Amino acid sequence: MHYDLVIKNGTVIDGSGLPGYRADVGVCEGRIISIGRIRERAGEVVDAEGHVVAPGFVDGHTHMDAQIFWDPLGTSSCFHGITTAVMGNCGFTLAPCAESDKHLVIRNLQRAEDIPPEAMEAGIQWRWSTFREFLDRVDALPKGINYAAYIGHCALRTYAMGERAFAHAAGEADMQAMERELRDAMRAGAIGFSTSRSPSHETPDGRPVASRIATWDELRRLAGVMGELDAGILELAGEGVDRVAGDPGLRGYHARLRDLAVESGRPITFGVFSRRGVPDVWRAYLALLDETAAAGGRMFGQVHSRSLSALLSFRTQLPFDRLPVWKELRALPLAEQRSRLRQPDVRRRLVEASAQRENRQAVGTEARPADYDWLLVFDSVEGPHRTIAEVARERGQHPAETLIDLALEKDLQRFFLQPLANEDQDYALELMRHPRTVTTFSDSGAHVSQLMDSSLQTHLLSHWVRKKQAFTLEQAVRMLTLVPATLWGFADRGLIREGMAADLVVFDPDTVGAAMPEVADDLPAGARRLVQRSRGIAATVVNGAVLLREGKHTGALPGTLLRGPLARLH
């Protein structure tokens, strides 16, 4: 037999959680066809001596909907072993929407997901109106990795209601229009329906995004469409009842979620994070997962492998950017900022102004006002990371001046971390260990200059497996492969088995991890974003073709659109 690809001499950790074993993996026509000792010829060979051969990682929470049009590779996800990404989370999608109304969709995405409108305008050729037409367009695009897509509530609402979607409840005619389009989207291959009820999601003018205007009855009816079709996942960014300790609305919200899961018969999923301001609320969410299962519903939480942190720098965002004195400085080219920061009178005014508070409240992953005890110097991926407050005390300085000096020491290239959630890593570990959670939630493709969590999978392997030994390699690989593949219904992925799709990642368990993030001005129209590569990954294989070798693109673009269950039936 002649193989297209053979991965030789590796330790196969197959995604099941069972112990690894030494074997070759043979691939033909995009499928795994042999596991064992392979002696036959192959068109291409990857020598995996000293490496683990695992199924490709599945990321269930991305926002690659816009990026997929200008970035065929799927960076930075592809650098970290991701071979399948689920996009369209939190109600934010580009469809359904006619080109003439694209300003409505862009308004939903611009602030809530930090996707510059100039990049979307320059990088997307709008050739659809319905979600079915959008999926056909995505299907035709060159892709490095695989994608599945939710239909998002914000776009669905503006498609049916236009401008009224941002201010009014849906009437009966509006509801019927949304139900028709949702039904057709599911039949065309949507993986499910996503929505946002989160106060973190606003338009650039400070108004709620369209999905936040929806009543609970509207959400019930739309979830009911999936229930009637017996297909699809409901993903949501939740209500803001968990940001203040003892909020009386939390229990009612949880009861509504539980009842919706039972009533619709469809799985419901959302992010679960700990927050230092409400230290125990995450436990109520874990209890809800178990309560829903006991009531006959399906529900799973999406959790993170580390703290969720805004990434700050003079090249991206700082806590002071909207304060008048700082705003004047930050509007200058970086070289001019550097020069002025060395002038004593300018520094004095900046430090004095740093104590002011802006009127607009930060949302999402926008920089918060500076709490120097929770502002970390990010000099290495692994850490430990010192706080600005600690360094300032050592230097006898105001913390704002310390931040300026630390940045100047690295020519304004130094990053700082501002944790927004999962500050306590013991809690993060407990969240990952819960049997009804899945480790995902990179947000890749969104918050492009504010957040860089595409590396959460490699962080699990480097930090929690290698350094902390909190999980075995077999457990961690299962968490990144079979678990998400099963939850999102990718029946032929997530395991190394004969007949399965040949999505594979070859990595060195002794060195795998994330590199330091970088700032790149490589979006359409020269817009800025954060990029992060990895180390220790020898090869990433998608549908039987080697996409990356040692982090370098081979030229192959083997990714495909993974349509949802109803499309696969026909």
Side-chain angles (χ1 to χ4, degrees):
M1 171 175 280
H2 180 80
Y3 294 89
D4 297 331
L5 170 69
V6 171
I7 302 176
K8 296 186 71 68
N9 307 320
T11 297
V12 173
I13 296 182
D14 66 8
S16 68
L18 293 171
Y21 56 90
R22 189 174 176 88
D24 305 332
V25 179
V27 175
C28 190
E29 296 183 353
R31 295 274 159 181
I32 299 167
I33 62 169
S34 183
I35 306 166
R37 182 66 58 82
I38 297 174
R39 297 177 175 83
E40 292 89 348
R41 291 183 305 146
E44 187 172 5
V45 174
V46 172
D47 186 357
E49 182 69 46
H51 288 65
V52 165
V53 182
F57 304 153
V58 177
D59 191 339
H61 196 109
T62 80
H63 293 273
M64 305 287 271
D65 310 62
Q67 184 177 327
I68 195 173
F69 286 90
W70 58 74
D71 176 12
L73 263 183
T75 57
S76 295
S77 293
C78 67
F79 297 141
H80 297 273
I82 299 298
T83 57
T84 296
V86 180
M87 61 184 184
N89 284 272
C90 305
F92 300 119
T93 55
L94 300 179
C97 180
E99 184 174 17
S100 59
D101 293 326
K102 66 183 179 181
H103 62 286
L104 300 176
V105 163
I106 289 173
R107 188 188 310 169
N108 282 314
L109 269 62
Q110 182 178 345
R111 184 180 183 199
E113 297 302 336
D114 184 40
I115 302 176
E118 299 83 8
M120 288 188 275
E121 188 68 42
I124 301 173
Q125 289 186 313
W126 215 278
R127 295 178 181 171
W128 63 85
S129 179
T130 66
F131 196 80
R132 178 183 291 272
E133 292 166 344
F134 170 77
L135 286 182
D136 289 344
R137 181 76 182 109
V138 170
D139 210 354
L141 291 172
K143 295 174 287 295
I145 62 176
N146 307 311
Y147 294 91
Y150 292 106
I151 176 173
H153 197 176
C154 286
L156 182 61
R157 217 166 191 273
T158 54
Y159 181 73
M161 299 175 64
E163 284 284 352
R164 291 185 299 114
F166 293 95
H168 297 286
E172 183 58 29
D174 301 323
M175 283 305 313
Q176 291 181 14
M178 283 190 273
E179 287 171 330
R180 280 194 303 272
E181 176 60 18
L182 175 55
R183 204 171 276 115
D184 187 65
M186 294 301 301
R187 288 171 175 152
I191 202 77
F193 169 72
S194 71
T195 189
S196 173
R197 304 179 68 80
S198 170
S200 294
H201 292 149
E202 293 184 353
T203 63
D205 58 0
R207 299 164 63 197
V209 296
S211 65
R212 287 179 56 196
I213 307 301
T215 64
W216 189 261
D217 281 343
E218 178 178 325
L219 181 56
R220 284 182 65 239
R221 280 186 62 169
L222 294 171
V225 170
M226 293 193 295
E228 294 165 14
L229 297 171
D230 196 25
I233 298 168
L234 171 62
E235 185 275 338
L236 79 161
E239 297 179 4
V241 292
D242 53 12
R243 305 304 169 93
V244 178
D247 191 315
L250 181 64
R251 181 57 202 159
Y253 171 57
H254 282 187
R256 281 182 279 128
L257 279 176
R258 176 202 63 208
D259 293 347
L260 184 58
V262 174
E263 173 187 305
S264 69
R266 303 315 309 155
I268 295 178
T269 184
F270 43 80
V272 183
F273 296 90
S274 68
R275 288 185 172 86
R276 68 180 187 271
V278 278
D280 291 323
V281 74
W282 60 276
R283 298 188 188 278
Y285 278 92
L286 295 188
L288 172 64
L289 303 180
D290 293 331
E291 178 188 344
T292 300
R298 283 183 284 171
M299 186 179 288
F300 60 94
Q302 300 178 30
V303 301
H304 210 293
S305 66
R306 61 180 180 219
S307 64
L308 178 69
S309 299
L311 194 57
L312 313 182
S313 74
F314 272 85
R315 292 198 63 190
T316 52
Q317 61 168 349
L318 291 171
F320 323 111
D321 285 347
R322 295 185 178 276
L323 305 176
V325 174
W326 280 84
K327 191 172 183 179
E328 179 183 343
L329 173 84
R330 300 286 282 135
L332 300 171
L334 201 65
E336 182 64 19
Q337 290 185 52
R338 188 182 301 114
S339 174
R340 295 205 179 190
L341 287 168
R342 299 186 187 281
Q343 298 173 14
D345 60 324
V346 173
R347 289 165 65 97
R348 177 183 50 77
R349 287 189 289 114
L350 291 171
V351 170
E352 289 173 355
S354 67
Q356 299 172 9
R357 292 293 181 262
E358 59 176 293
N359 292 326
R360 189 174 84 159
Q361 184 175 357
V363 298
T365 53
E366 294 174 349
R368 275 37 176 189
D371 178 347
Y372 299 105
D373 288 313
W374 287 97
L375 198 55
L376 312 179
V377 185
F378 190 42
D379 278 336
S380 68
V381 170
E382 186 59 42
H385 304 116
R386 307 188 70 200
T387 69
I388 295 290
E390 288 172 334
V391 180
R393 283 193 292 270
E394 287 179 3
R395 297 185 179 191
Q397 290 179 310
H398 188 286
E401 186 166 17
T402 299
L403 185 147
I404 291 171
D405 281 344
L406 287 168
L408 285 170
E409 287 169 11
K410 290 290 183 74
D411 201 29
L412 301 189
Q413 305 298 311
R414 182 174 248 142
F415 287 112
F416 305 92
L417 287 173
Q418 188 174 50
L420 309 177
N422 269 23
E423 300 94 341
D424 188 318
Q425 290 299 280
D426 290 337
Y427 291 168
L429 179 58
E430 198 169 336
L431 284 162
M432 286 190 288
R433 282 181 164 157
H434 192 277
R436 301 190 195 278
T437 66
V438 54
T439 303
T440 186
F441 216 105
S442 73
D443 261 350
S444 292
H447 311 296
V448 293
S449 66
Q450 302 169 345
L451 181 78
M452 180 36 67
D453 280 347
S454 297
S455 57
L456 75 87
Q457 286 81 8
T458 45
H459 181 77
L460 174 61
L461 297 171
S462 64
H463 180 77
W464 292 112
V465 175
R466 188 170 64 240
K467 182 177 181 181
K468 294 294 186 179
Q469 298 181 24
F471 300 102
T472 66
L473 261 176
E474 287 84 355
Q475 289 171 327
V477 167
R478 183 178 183 275
M479 291 162 67
L480 300 177
T481 58
L482 180 62
V483 171
T486 300
L487 291 171
W488 273 276
F490 306 132
D492 62 345
R493 294 165 207 273
L495 283 171
I496 298 180
R497 293 281 192 276
E498 292 175 1
M500 301 287 276
D503 291 349
L504 304 161
V505 58
V506 181
F507 65 89
D508 180 351
D510 295 330
T511 61
V512 66
M516 281 293 287
E518 300 173 2
V519 179
D521 298 316
D522 64 351
L523 294 186
R528 181 160 293 174
R529 68 166 177 153
L530 294 159
V531 177
Q532 189 172 32
R533 292 182 173 269
S534 68
R535 61 181 186 274
I537 297 183
T540 302
V541 178
V542 179
N543 295 315
V546 180
L547 175 70
L548 299 168
R549 273 190 184 260
E550 303 295 345
K552 294 183 173 57
H553 185 209
T554 64
L557 292 171
T560 190
L561 173 66
L562 303 180
R563 294 186 187 255
L566 295 185
R568 296 197 295 266
L569 289 174
H570 300 93

